[in-house]
Amino acid sequence: MSSELNLKTFIWALGVIQPATPNEVQNFITHMLLKQSNKEFDIETTVKKLINECLIRCVSKRNKLYSITHEGDEFLGNKLRALKDKERLYLLKSVRDVTFVGKGASERNTGGASPLKQARSSTKVSPRPEIPLPSGPLPQNQRNFWPRVYWQLNIGSKPEAPLTSTHLNFYSANSIPRKFDSMADAIIKISELVGVSSYLLKDFCNNTEKYYRDFEIPKKSGKGVRVICAPRAFLKTVQYWILDYFLIRLKEHESCYSYRKNKSIKDNASVHLNRKFILCMDIESFFDNISVKQVAKCFVENKIEPHLAALFANIVTFNGTLPQGAPTSPVISNSHLYEFDELISKYCVDNNLSYSRYADDLTIGSDDYDSLKKVETLISEKLSSYTLKLNKKKTRIVSSNSCQIVTGVAINNGELRPSRKHRKAVRALFHKAEVEKSVELLPKLYGHLNYLKSFNNGDTPKNIQKYQSIIDKLNNHKNIGSF
């Protein structure tokens, strides 16, 4: 005889793996929590009771998928709700992060066996959700639909998720309201979609410092260090969710080459080939001077509802500005200057100039020296309206008679090539690896060699062959050492 399942147990389990079917929730409970597979419950009675009390809701009738409501989250109580959020975010992290298989379990500091047995897949790209998105501007980039959490769990003997597996438009639901009454209303809705409590989202906004860590990296100039503020795992997972389900709609100008798929520093540099003069400029403290209000304004301009925009802006900023270590910052910084890129691009086309931007690096190419002085003044004026300014110490005009470097790539004589400084650094690194037999440098060596090979004339054939030989020797040394 089957028994009725405890309501809080069902809600907690659904909250961890939502969206999910009732049978999936039961499998999760019996295999992962009760550690037995022969226990039977009257699942239909449990589901009907929870729906009647508005503690869960059906988000896909076709696939019988359910998610918990804000009321269901409240019903759990503080301790169960906090535990649910913790398990939920670890599993969501495994869905988004393909490297979680190797390092995820060791990062956890919880007792007992982890419900995560195997991360089956990384982010799946799917152009066909269960139902189409509502009318409006379409995403510029391919949508990333996260696989359902249940498919990350190795429960029983079930087949792998098919390529046409179910994807809801906002992960835990297919639609969201077109308008929210307040920020609190937006927080509740987004918490339901992500599958975490509204209390956690509020904490992300009100106590941001708890969810960030600082670390230092050396500056490219070799003088001093740059402090990077990076979000911790929980906040970072939610930021990734916002990025993949909302920020894909942010406009990025075609003249902006930074942080974009299939775009590189080589593409950025190629715009200015065969130009007699190039003007190189740098925006001073770019990310630090993009405020939370400007981020919210950028979201609203890209058709994100105002209260939702304000919420997202608070979640993706730190101390009122855009943090360099957050996964959402690159696309926001690109979109923030969309209108600026459009204006400068049009001006350059009308005046026979070339223009490109790579993050905070601006480059203008021309055959007329005086025209570059004029456009520098224009750019400085327009940036001031964004509360940005040029770093005068890094502003320079370089003629074709000198070494013209654009984002680290030499463009002299109508040919792209790694800069002499870069080739010298690569040569020193390979020499160090060969002398010290540093097998731990192999990933870097592979990266540098592939980068050189990506150019028609990245380095001399002799050096390329020598670098390949060093890598082969290190691989042999690594294999011998492993026995």
Side-chain angles (χ1 to χ4, degrees), residues 62-106:
R62 182 193 307 173
N63 294 282
K64 299 179 181 178
L65 294 175
Y66 292 81
S67 293
I68 70 171
T69 62
H70 174 66
E71 290 75 15
D73 212 45
E74 292 284 308
F75 181 72
L76 287 176
N78 292 337
K79 289 185 178 180
L80 276 180
R81 184 167 54 240
L83 180 60
K84 184 264 296 179
D85 286 347
K86 186 176 183 180
E87 296 295 333
R88 171 71 173 176
L89 285 170
Y90 273 121
L91 289 173
L92 278 180
K93 182 179 184 296
S94 76
V95 169
R96 184 54 168 79
D97 188 358
V98 70
T99 64
F100 187 80
V101 176
K103 66 181 183 179
S106 62

Side-chain angles (χ1 to χ4, degrees), residues 309-355:
L311 171 61
F312 288 162
N314 275 283
I315 292 176
V316 303
T317 55
F318 177 59
N319 287 337
T321 63
L322 208 57
Q324 292 190 43
T328 45
S329 295
V331 67
I332 293 171
S333 69
N334 282 353
S335 188
H336 176 57
L337 289 185
Y338 179 85
E339 297 297 337
F340 170 84
D341 289 332
E342 176 69 16
L343 187 148
I344 300 300
S345 291
K346 188 177 185 306
Y347 176 89
C348 288
V349 168
D350 293 342
N351 291 274
N352 194 29
L353 307 173
S354 57
Y355 167 71

Side-chain angles (χ1 to χ4, degrees), residues 125 141-142 144 252 256-264 267 334:
V125 177
N141 303 311
Q142 179 72 59
N144 287 332
E252 298 172 89
C256 177
Y257 291 85
S258 50
Y259 318 117
R260 301 183 69 180
K261 190 175 181 180
N262 300 322
K263 301 286 185 183
S264 69
D267 298 313
N334 282 353

